[in-house]
Amino acid sequence: MEGNDRLTEDQIEKLFCVRRTCIEMLRARGYHVQDRYDQYELEGFKKHFIDRTKEDMLLLGVQPHGKGEKILVFFCEDKKLSTSAISVYETKMNTHQTNRAIIIVDEKVTTMAHQAIERIGDKYTMEVFLVPELLINITKHRYVPKHTILTSKEKQALLKKYQLKETQLPRMNKRDAISRFYGLKHGQVVKISRKSETAGRYITYRIVLD
């Protein structure tokens, strides 16, 4: 990584929104996030990070209830994600004893970076989000219905109740914005609740596919 440049006020304002969305995203996925800056308003956040770098914005999420699974959130120092940065993140993941991370970057990921992530895909899961994608929490948008991820038992109960095969459920692409927000995996089923003028609430189910 080249960087370690100090952050500008404009960068801090954007990263304030992105970091807050990241914390909400991790919590929506079931991670516990202990972050002393979480309660900061923008001015307090600016004051703390004005002389710091993106590296200082690292987040750690831990699954509670004895699961102990961890996830790291890295804020890429450079505008583009490089293969050398991926190697650095891999080392940090080893240090924190986790195989899962989210990388926040300014510009679209290059083919070389994609290939580097794919090469280590058997051991590490690295999700990449662009800064504009996380400026707001899309699940809080007024037109986005409530999504609830079913457990394996709930999924099987649903299929049994309606005598369905997985292939008969409506599909949701794994690259869909909601799928990415929740970090959904192939085969998971989502319950979608929409308001209905006639029925009060309209429920549908979708299965996540690659």
Side-chain angles (χ1 to χ4, degrees):
M1 292 185 289
E2 304 166 5
N4 286 14
D5 292 332
R6 293 294 181 261
L7 295 166
T8 65
E9 246 186 90
D10 182 57
Q11 284 177 310
I12 293 173
E13 286 182 11
K14 285 183 179 178
L15 290 170
F16 170 76
C17 298
V18 172
R19 201 169 184 277
R20 181 176 55 190
T21 301
C22 282
I23 291 171
E24 291 171 350
M25 182 166 67
L26 293 187
R27 287 174 178 162
R29 295 184 184 193
Y31 290 97
H32 175 68
V33 184
Q34 203 165 23
D35 183 70
R36 59 178 174 160
Y37 314 117
D38 184 22
Q39 302 303 318
Y40 277 27
E41 293 299 328
L42 178 57
E43 290 309 312
F45 190 82
K46 275 185 186 179
K47 186 177 178 181
H48 181 81
F49 283 103
I50 195 66
D51 292 321
R52 296 175 182 263
T53 67
K54 289 182 183 178
E55 190 176 349
D56 297 315
M57 293 195 174
L58 177 77
L59 287 169
L60 171 66
V62 181
Q63 288 277 5
H65 311 304
K67 291 182 181 179
E69 294 176 12
K70 300 175 186 176
I71 188 169
L72 288 168
V73 180
F74 299 109
F75 291 80
C76 187
E77 290 283 357
D78 305 320
K79 287 187 176 294
K80 291 184 179 180
L81 180 62
S82 64
T83 54
S84 60
I86 292 169
S87 296
V88 170
Y89 298 147
E90 187 179 344
T91 301
K92 289 183 178 181
M93 290 167 76
N94 279 328
T95 301
H96 284 84
Q97 298 181 316
T98 179
N99 62 355
R100 193 170 195 95
I102 291 170
I103 303 169
I104 312 299
V105 66
D106 288 309
E107 296 184 5
K108 189 176 178 181
V109 181
T110 64
T111 302
M112 285 183 67
H114 266 303
Q115 290 172 344
I117 291 172
E118 286 174 1
R119 276 196 296 273
I120 59 174
D122 290 340
K123 188 175 180 182
Y124 301 100
T125 299
M126 291 184 177
E127 304 170 56
V128 181
F129 286 86
L130 301 182
V131 166
E133 292 179 308
L134 294 176
L135 286 173
I136 62 166
N137 181 341
I138 56 168
T139 66
K140 291 184 174 181
H141 193 283
R142 60 182 295 188
Y143 293 118
V144 175
K146 181 181 178 182
H147 289 67
T148 306
I149 296 89
L150 301 191
T151 64
S152 296
K153 285 185 178 179
E154 289 169 336
K155 172 185 171 181
Q156 292 308 316
L158 173 73
L159 296 175
K160 186 177 180 180
K161 179 179 179 180
Y162 295 105
Q163 297 183 325
L164 294 171
K165 295 179 181 178
E166 287 189 8
T167 52
Q168 293 175 296
L169 287 171
R171 300 178 178 188
M172 174 185 282
N173 195 294
K174 194 176 174 182
R175 290 179 290 278
D176 178 271
I178 294 292
S179 293
R180 294 181 66 222
F181 184 90
Y182 287 108
L184 299 179
K185 299 174 184 176
H186 180 92
Q188 285 190 284
V189 174
V190 180
K191 175 183 176 182
I192 303 171
S193 308
R194 290 184 173 87
K195 290 182 180 179
S196 167
E197 293 182 4
T198 54
R201 192 161 291 278
Y202 176 61
I203 306 294
T204 57
Y205 296 89
R206 291 186 180 275
I207 187 166
V208 178
L209 297 175
D210 293 335

